[in-house]
C-alpha cells in the first residue's frame, strides 16, 4: 500500500506546504491537506477551476491529486475552545469539524490511518513588531498558532499514525540567531518548535514508533513571508552570503521532507535539518 499524508498549512501553490505535498505525491503518497478555514473557499475554488494545474505537474507529467481538503484552524483543539465570535463569523460558520481534534476524527473515519503528518503553518499577528514592543497576547498568539499547533496536531493524529510513520514541521534560523524584523514572538515560537521537536521525537518514538523532525528552511517568497515585509531582502541576503549562490527552490525543501519521512531516514529523529543553501553555517557576511 502507498503511504498517506496529512499536510496542514496549504492554502495556495506558493508555500512550502504545497511543495512538500508535491514531493510526497511524486513519491507515491496519497495527499490529504488541512487548509486554514478563512482561506478554504478561495483555495478550493482555485483548485476546482484549474488555477493550480500548471503547478500540480509532477516530474512524470501527471498532476498531483489532492484527494481531500479538510478545513482546519490549528489554534483550536476542540469545539469547546472556540470563542463565540469565531463560531458565528461567516467565514467559519460555513464549515464544520475544523478544530484539530475533529479534523483528526474525521480523517480517521474517512481514511482510517495516516503515515505522514506535515505541519507547515505559522501565524504571528505582531510579527512586524520588535520583541520589545510585542504585547503578551501577540506573543502568546504566535506561540499558539506556530508551536502549540504542532503539539496539538501530533497529539491528536498520533493514535491514527501507522508505526514507522513520521512527521515534519518547518522552522527558521531566527530561533537561534537574531534576525531583526522577525518579531512578534515568532523567533520565540520557532525556538519552542525546535525544542519540542526533540521532546516529541522521544515521546512519539516511544509511544508510536513515529519520527519527528523539523526543517530549518531558507527564505521563500510565500504568502506568509510577504506579510512579514522584508522577504525580498532576506532572499537577496541569502543569495549574496550563502555558500551556494543560487535561488532556494520550495521543491528543495519538499524533496528533503520526502526524504525525512521515507525509510531512507529511518534513524533520523529529533533533528533540525537545514535546507538553506548553507547560510546557517556562515559567521561573517562577505
Ligand atoms: P504559507 O503562507 O504557504 O503557509 C502558511 C500557512 O499557514 C497558510 O496556508 C495559512 O493559511 C496557514 N495558517 C495560518 N494560521 C493557521 C491556523 N491557525 N490554522 C491552520 N492553518 C493556518 O507560507 P510558508 O512560508 O510556506 O510557511 C510554511 C511554514 O514554513 C511556516 O511554519 C513558516 O514559518 C515556515 N518557514 C517559512 C520560511 C519562508 O521564508 N517562507 C522560512 C522558514 C520557515
Amino acid at each position: 500500500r502507498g503511504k498517506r499524508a496529512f499536510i496542514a498549512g496549504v492554502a495556495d501553490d506558493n508555500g512550502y506546504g504545497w511543495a512538500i505535498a508535491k514531493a510526497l505525491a511524486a513519491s507515491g503518497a496519497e495527499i490529504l491537506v488541512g487548509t486554514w478555514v478563512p482561506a478554504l473557499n478561495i483555495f478550493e475554488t482555485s483548485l476546482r477551476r484549474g488555477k493550480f494545474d500548471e503547478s500540480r505537474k509532477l516530474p512524470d507529467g501527471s498532476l498531483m491529486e489532492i484527494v481531500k481538503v479538510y478545513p482546519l484552524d490549528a489554534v483550536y483543539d476542540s469545539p469547546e475552545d472556540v470563542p463565540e465570535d469565531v463560531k458565528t463569523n461567516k467565514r467559519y460558520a460555513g464549515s464544520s469539524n475544523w478544530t484539530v481534534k475533529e479534523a483528526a476524527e474525521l480523517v480517521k473515519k474517512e481514511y482510517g490511518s495516516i503515515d505522514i503528518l506535515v505541519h507547515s503553518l505559522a501565524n504571528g499577528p505582531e510579527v512586524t513588531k520588535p520583541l520589545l514592543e510585542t504585547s503578551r497576547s501577540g506573543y502568546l498568539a504566535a506561540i499558539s498558532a506556530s508551536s502549540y499547533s504542532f503539539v496539538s496536531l501530533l497529539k491528536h493524529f498520533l493514535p491514527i499514525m501507522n508505526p514507522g510513520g513520521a512527521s515534519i514541521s518547518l522552522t527558521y534560523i531566527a530561533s537561534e540567531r537574531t534576525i531583526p524584523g522577525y518579531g512578534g514572538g515568532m523567533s520565540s515560537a520557532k525556538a519552542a518548535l525546535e525544542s519540542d521537536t526533540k521532546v516529541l521525537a522521544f515521546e512519539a518514538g516511544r509511544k508510536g514508533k513515529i519520527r519527528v523532525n523539523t526543517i530549518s528552511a531558507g527564505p521563500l517568497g510565500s504568502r506568509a513571508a510577504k506579510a512579514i515585509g522584508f522577504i525580498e531582502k532576506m532572499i537577496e541576503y541569502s543569495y549574496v552570503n550563502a555558500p551556494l549562490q543560487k535561488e532556494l527552490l520550495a521543491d528543495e525543501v519538499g524533496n528533503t521532507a520526502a526524504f525525512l519521512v521515507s525509510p531512507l531516514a529511518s534513524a533520523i529523529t529529533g533533528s533540525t535539518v537545514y535546507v538553506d543553501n548553507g547560510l546557517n553555517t556562515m559567521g561573517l557576511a562577505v
Side-chain angles (χ1 to χ4, degrees):
R1 182 180 79 73
K3 291 189 174 164
R4 183 177 298 119
F6 182 84
I7 302 156
V10 180
D12 59 39
D13 60 351
N14 293 318
Y16 283 132
W18 177 271
I20 293 171
K22 276 180 75 175
L24 295 178
S27 74
E30 185 174 73
I31 305 300
L32 313 176
V33 306
T35 299
W36 195 30
V37 189
L40 182 73
N41 238 327
I42 177 135
F43 179 61
E44 284 196 305
T45 306
S46 306
L47 203 55
R48 201 170 345 106
R49 293 197 183 148
K51 201 184 148 218
F52 301 135
D53 283 1
E54 199 49 46
S55 38
R56 280 172 61 211
K57 261 208 193 101
L58 300 177
D60 72 356
S62 67
L63 296 190
M64 166 171 71
E65 206 59 60
I66 295 177
V67 303
K68 177 110 193 232
V69 178
Y70 289 89
L72 178 72
D73 194 321
V75 304
Y76 304 113
D77 302 315
S78 59
E80 305 86 79
D81 303 331
V82 184
E84 208 47 44
D85 62 319
V86 175
K87 235 176 252 174
T88 54
N89 180 309
K90 70 175 194 304
R91 291 156 100 190
Y92 281 79
S95 303
S96 54
N97 296 311
W98 40 259
T99 65
V100 176
K101 181 165 179 267
E102 293 169 291
E105 281 167 1
L106 206 54
V107 171
K108 178 182 182 179
K109 192 172 129 207
E110 296 177 342
Y111 292 94
S113 66
I114 64 168
D115 304 285
I116 298 161
L117 175 67
V118 179
H119 175 283
S120 181
L121 63 99
N123 202 4
E126 298 182 16
V127 64
T128 56
K129 289 189 190 165
L131 192 52
L132 270 177
E133 283 158 35
T134 299
S135 71
R136 183 181 300 267
S137 69
Y139 183 96
L140 294 176
I143 298 271
S144 174
S146 314
S147 319
Y148 190 79
S149 56
F150 180 60
V151 177
S152 180
L153 275 165
L154 187 59
K155 167 181 171 160
H156 289 97
F157 278 87
L158 190 59
I160 65 163
M161 289 183 77
N162 296 314
S167 71
I168 284 286
S169 67
L170 274 301
T171 187
Y172 184 50
I173 187 89
S175 60
E176 39 176 334
R177 307 246 204 285
T178 307
I179 308 281
Y182 195 77
M186 278 307 300
S187 57
S188 331
K190 291 306 193 190
L193 182 67
E194 289 173 30
S195 177
D196 294 347
T197 297
K198 298 175 197 164
V199 177
L200 294 171
F202 169 70
E203 295 181 3
R206 294 295 175 90
K207 198 168 181 181
K209 296 191 165 63
I210 299 300
R211 294 183 297 105
V212 182
N213 292 295
T214 188
I215 293 174
S216 186
L220 173 76
S222 65
R223 189 188 168 106
K226 283 182 180 141
I228 303 170
F230 62 109
I231 187 67
E232 297 309 332
K233 249 174 75 187
M234 301 299 291
I235 292 171
E236 175 64 18
Y237 180 91
S238 175
Y239 193 93
V240 171
N241 294 297
L244 301 176
Q245 292 194 302
K246 63 174 185 61
E247 186 189 353
L248 175 68
L249 303 175
D251 287 344
E252 296 177 291
V253 168
N255 290 338
T256 304
F259 158 69
L260 285 172
V261 301
S262 81
L264 293 173
S266 56
I268 303 178
T269 194
S271 291
T272 297
V273 176
Y274 297 92
V275 184
D276 65 349
N277 285 327
L279 185 63
N280 74 92
T281 63
M282 299 299 294
L284 180 69
V286 283

